[in-house]
Amino acid sequence: MFNFNLQPGEKILFAYRQAKFVLIKPSIIAFFLFYLPWSFLRKYELFAQFKKLFYFWVILIFLYILNRYILWLINRYIITNKRLVIVLCKNLFHKKISEAPLSKINHISSEKKGIAQTLFNVGNIIIPIIGLNEPLLLKTVKYPERRKDQIWQICEKFGNLSRSQTKIV
C-alpha cells in the first residue's frame, strides 16, 4: 500500500501531497463530535452514567482522525523523469493510481478557488493528457503556480517537449 514501483532507469524528481490545509475540515468535525456530547453530558450531569459510552465515542473519533491523517500521508503526486503518477486512496482498502508519460502532457494550468485557497496559497493543478477525456488533477497543492512551473520544466527536459512546440488548437 505504501510502496511505489519504478520502471528501469526511472528516478523520482518530485513528490507532492495535498497541503496540510485539507486536514482542517476533519479536525473541526472531530472537535465538534467530541465537544457536543461532552458538553451535553457535563451540563446535565450524565457523565458518570455514560462514561464508558463516551470513552468508546472518543476512541471512534480518534480512529476517524487517524484514518484521515493516514490517507493524507498515502495520497501523493509523484513526478519522475518518465511519467507523472497520482496515487489516491479513498480509504485504506481502495487505492487508485493514475499515470501518464511526460511526452503526453502538452499543457498545464493551475487554479485557486475561494478565499481560503488564496489566503493559504493552495490550489489545484490541471494537466490535460493527450488521449484521455479527463485531465489529471493535483488537488489542494501548496504553491500551485510554482509546482506547475516545476512540472512544466520537467516536461520540457524529459518529455522531449518545449513550449514553442505546443500548438493551441
Side-chain angles (χ1 to χ4, degrees):
M1 171 162 263
F2 297 100
N3 60 358
F4 172 72
N5 297 326
L6 293 174
Q7 297 173 354
E10 189 174 29
K11 293 185 287 188
I12 295 177
L13 301 175
F14 290 102
Y16 308 118
R17 65 171 40 104
Q18 290 183 320
K20 292 179 185 176
F21 170 76
V22 299
L23 296 174
I24 291 174
K25 182 179 176 184
S27 299
I28 291 171
I29 290 170
F31 173 76
F32 281 110
L33 287 175
F34 170 80
Y35 181 75
L36 292 175
W38 175 76
S39 63
F40 178 80
L41 293 174
R42 197 170 137 245
K43 180 178 179 180
Y44 294 107
E45 299 175 0
L46 299 171
F47 190 79
Q49 295 171 352
F50 295 101
K51 186 187 323 185
K52 289 182 182 179
L53 183 63
F54 180 72
Y55 290 149
F56 178 72
W57 182 248
V58 169
I59 290 170
L60 289 178
I61 294 169
F62 175 75
L63 291 175
Y64 166 74
I65 285 291
L66 184 64
N67 178 47
R68 301 308 304 168
Y69 182 71
I70 289 172
L71 290 177
W72 176 76
L73 285 176
I74 294 171
N75 293 339
R76 58 194 181 270
Y77 312 119
I78 301 167
I79 301 160
T80 70
N81 57 345
K82 294 184 178 183
R83 59 189 170 146
L84 169 68
V85 181
I86 299 175
V87 180
L88 289 177
C89 294
K90 292 191 179 200
N91 57 48
L92 292 177
F93 305 107
H94 182 186
K95 181 177 180 181
K96 177 182 176 184
I97 298 176
S98 303
E99 60 182 72
L102 296 178
S103 60
K104 297 283 186 177
I105 298 173
N106 67 352
H107 155 224
I108 302 172
S109 60
S110 65
E111 69 178 357
K112 291 182 188 178
K113 291 183 181 179
I115 296 171
Q117 286 191 354
T118 303
L119 288 176
F120 291 105
N121 201 8
V122 173
N124 301 329
I125 300 173
I126 304 158
I127 306 173
I129 304 296
I130 297 171
L132 289 179
N133 294 335
E134 294 183 21
L136 294 180
L137 182 64
L138 283 63
K139 290 184 180 179
T140 324
V141 176
K142 190 83 171 156
Y143 310 114
E145 294 89 4
R146 189 182 312 164
R147 304 292 184 234
K148 174 187 69 79
D149 291 339
Q150 286 175 340
I151 295 169
W152 191 252
Q153 288 171 358
I154 291 168
C155 288
E156 287 178 345
K157 185 174 181 181
F158 295 105
N160 299 325
L161 177 71
S162 69
R163 290 181 192 224
S164 62
Q165 290 176 333
T166 59
K167 296 180 188 176
I168 299 176
V169 180

